[in-house]
Amino acid sequence: MQIIHLSHHIGGTDVSGTAVLQQQNPAKADDLQITIPVADAHVVEQAVTAAKTAFAVFRDQGIEKRADALAKVQQLIVQHSDELSQLIARETGKTFADAKGEVGRAARIFGFFAGEALRIVGERLESTRNGAMVEVEYAPVGVIGQITPWNFPIAIPAWKIAPALAFGNTVVWKPSEISSATAARLMALIHEAGVLPGAVNMVLGGGETGAAICANAGIDALSFTGSQATGKKVRLAAMERAIPVQTEMGGVNALLVLADADVDAAVENALNGAFFAAGERCTATSRIVVEQAIADEFVSKLVARVKQLKLGDPLDAATQIGPLASPNQKALISRQTAKMEQYPGAQLVCGGTAVEMPACFFAPTLFDHAKADDPIALEEIFGPVAAVFRVKDYAEGLAMVNNSRFGLSAGLCTNSLKYAEHFKRYAKSGMIMINLPTAGIDYHVPFGGVGASSYGAREQGRAAKAFYTVAKTTYLKA
Ligand code: UN1
């Protein structure tokens, strides 16, 4: 059994505290034990002070220095890729292969924003008043409070921390208590890369630590990815203090499969979206909406593929699906699935709560004949559980896709340009996937949803500038 004691990281140094929280390997309890201190308002205040002090220096250090430091973080992540991926697998249950992909993505995000630091483009215009000019520059916001989830334990921190730094901000970051060891390794690499001490500060803990960040008067903007309930708390705290906020939450994402689609390819898209990464992606497919004409063929092919999925130790190269991230997650997904099983209408076709699974594993579960008001249509299930909704045609399918207060990612499988164009225009969603799984996004383009899925400016790609800068308008007369 390996034991890892974690510390906060404030102003360039590790700050220890009494271990309160714990995380174990969700695949096997005797492998790894991580102990985590909890930052209270006082520790958070120290971190905010360090970030404020660093901001005064960091914003004027020059864009080349920032770019170099971000590029160095990229290089260090690549160098430590195997070690980081193993830790992610052991800490969160993500498969080693998925973790490797995520670590690579995190590295590239730092690389992308190293470039962005060098092109913070402003504008210069003539004033409407003769002889005067107007300049618009994009200045840093200040100290950004960031709260990140466990399901992408390195990529999501990367897509918040890298743009914050690229545009000259400093950071107080609280990672999830389920992925704090991975966070601590990233923090150490950021430090090793030569980023100014205090520019990124990491405070560990659970909900109360997050609340202390949100309430701290020194925080200038808040960025959050996680649950609906916590997202709402973060937004309300930001409203109270009138600071910018972005919250990325879940979705009840739908994949619409039309009768003219390549059925085998559509099955693979559904399989990937619904079950890969054990369904623990905010972009995962939980509603598979299928045109009646091909529904029997589609469901039997999908069930055959689900039954072939190999569950096992995340470190084993043959494993396709690891465990859920924690006993709490397993209890939650079990409760939600049981609710579906008891609901009249939908039929369980594979998996389900009756299948006994060791540790935090949960059987990939599929329902058929679900209806618009089934529980799975209403609330996100952050696990390997999905339902097929049968519809008579495209119009009914699109209405079913849009029958949600969420709207993060919506997929369509078709060979028809007409339907693809229509779907792109009328699906109520921030991201549209044509003949691709609903999950699996690029880092150089905007990411985010509509409705209850997302709030505030988009993340990632060049869109990140909108959140991490403030437009400053100067009127100038010589
Ligand atoms: C992906 O689908 O590749 O928490 C990423 C999440 C999202 C990221 C999805 N913010 O699952």
Side-chain angles (χ1 to χ4, degrees):
M1 162 91 83
Q2 186 189 359
I3 298 179
I4 303 178
H5 296 295
L6 298 177
S7 307
H8 313 297
H9 183 95
I10 297 174
T13 43
D14 289 340
V15 175
S16 56
T18 317
V20 181
L21 301 170
Q22 281 192 10
Q23 170 71 1
Q24 295 182 339
N25 181 333
K28 41 184 177 187
D30 58 353
D31 172 53
L32 173 70
Q33 185 147 8
I34 298 159
T35 71
I36 305 151
V38 168
D40 59 12
H42 174 72
V43 175
V44 168
E45 177 63 27
Q46 282 178 270
V48 174
T49 303
K52 252 183 164 164
T53 309
F55 179 62
V57 179
F58 187 69
R59 63 175 300 166
D60 296 325
Q61 262 193 335
I63 55 171
E64 208 163 53
K65 201 157 179 164
R66 277 186 226 159
D68 287 352
L70 290 168
K72 183 75 188 169
V73 178
Q74 172 180 25
Q75 197 187 64
L76 288 174
I77 292 175
V78 171
Q79 254 169 40
H80 293 268
S81 163
D82 277 349
E83 172 220 323
L84 286 163
S85 306
Q86 263 167 25
L87 183 58
I88 290 172
R90 290 169 71 208
E91 185 178 33
T92 71
K94 182 172 278 205
T95 65
F96 181 75
D98 284 351
K100 275 284 268 195
E102 186 193 338
V103 168
R105 189 198 292 202
R108 288 179 193 281
I109 290 167
F110 277 96
F112 178 86
F113 284 105
E116 286 300 279
L118 300 176
R119 20 172 201 263
I120 308 174
V121 178
E123 290 150 63
R124 183 176 155 95
L125 303 82
E126 271 191 52
S127 168
T128 55
R129 279 163 280 185
N130 259 1
M133 296 302 294
V134 186
E135 283 172 12
V136 187
E137 68 179 305
Y138 291 87
V141 179
V143 178
I144 317 285
Q146 301 182 331
I147 300 174
T148 58
W150 46 263
N151 66 326
F152 284 89
I154 189 163
I156 293 178
W159 79 55
K160 292 190 194 296
I161 293 169
L165 297 178
F167 296 111
N169 304 282
T170 59
V171 169
V172 174
W173 167 39
K174 189 201 89 68
S176 163
E177 58 272 40
I178 291 180
S179 58
S180 296
T182 303
R185 282 301 294 136
L186 175 62
M187 183 67 247
L189 296 179
I190 290 171
H191 185 67
E192 191 184 330
V195 173
L196 181 75
V200 181
N201 306 276
M202 181 190 72
V203 289
L204 302 176
E208 64 274 46
T209 306
I213 293 176
C214 294
N216 191 293
I219 296 284
D220 297 305
L222 284 166
S223 179
F224 166 84
T225 300
S227 72
Q228 282 290 321
T230 307
K232 182 172 177 182
K233 287 185 198 160
V234 173
R235 286 197 302 279
L236 290 175
M239 293 305 145
E240 189 65 38
R241 299 198 32 242
I243 57 171
V245 61
Q246 65 182 182
T247 62
E248 283 297 342
M249 297 148 298
V252 183
N253 307 297
L255 177 75
L256 172 56
V257 181
L258 296 185
D260 73 5
D262 174 336
V263 176
D264 294 329
V267 164
E268 294 309 309
N269 287 334
L271 188 81
N272 177 319
F275 303 110
F276 285 15
E280 294 176 323
R281 297 185 283 187
C282 59
T283 44
T285 308
S286 50
R287 298 181 294 145
I288 306 167
V289 183
V290 186
E291 218 175 327
Q292 184 61 46
I294 53 152
D296 286 341
E297 180 194 355
F298 179 88
V299 171
S300 72
K301 284 184 164 166
L302 180 57
V303 169
R305 291 289 288 120
V306 173
K307 287 187 173 154
Q308 284 166 4
L309 287 174
K310 201 170 161 349
L311 275 71
D313 186 337
L315 290 176
D316 185 340
T319 297
Q320 290 173 291
I321 311 281
L324 297 174
S326 70
N328 281 345
Q329 280 306 116
K330 182 168 175 171
L332 174 65
I333 303 305
S334 302
R335 278 200 305 277
Q336 287 179 298
T337 307
K339 213 165 138 189
M340 268 302 284
E341 287 167 351
Q342 283 145 23
Y343 200 80
Q347 292 161 15
L348 183 67
V349 282
C350 63
T353 52
V355 183
E356 294 269 343
M357 284 278 161
C360 295
F361 286 91
F362 194 86
T365 298
L366 186 70
F367 293 91
D368 194 1
H369 299 285
K371 298 287 173 298
D373 60 352
D374 280 343
I376 200 164
L378 305 177
E379 289 302 326
E380 178 172 38
I381 294 197
F382 216 57
V385 181
V388 171
F389 298 71
R390 294 173 177 232
V391 291
K392 71 171 191 301
D393 57 16
Y394 170 75
E396 196 182 305
L398 178 66
M400 187 69 86
V401 170
N402 285 343
N403 179 36
S404 177
R405 59 196 182 91
F406 300 95
L408 186 59
S409 180
L412 175 69
C413 296
T414 185
N415 277 313
S416 154
L417 182 62
K418 181 177 94 177
Y419 289 130
E421 283 292 334
H422 190 276
F423 190 80
K424 204 179 81 185
R425 188 182 279 246
Y426 295 108
K428 219 177 61 184
S429 181
M431 292 176 297
I432 306 290
M433 303 291 194
I434 309 287
N435 294 321
L436 287 166
T438 58
I441 50 118
D442 289 358
Y443 56 85
H444 64 309
V445 288
F447 171 85
V450 300
S453 289
S454 304
Y455 182 90
R458 288 282 186 260
E459 299 195 83
Q460 303 210 59
R462 298 181 66 194
K465 183 180 176 190
F467 184 75
Y468 289 103
T469 63
V470 56
K472 219 172 188 182
T473 313
T474 303
Y475 294 82
L476 208 139
K477 190 165 180 185

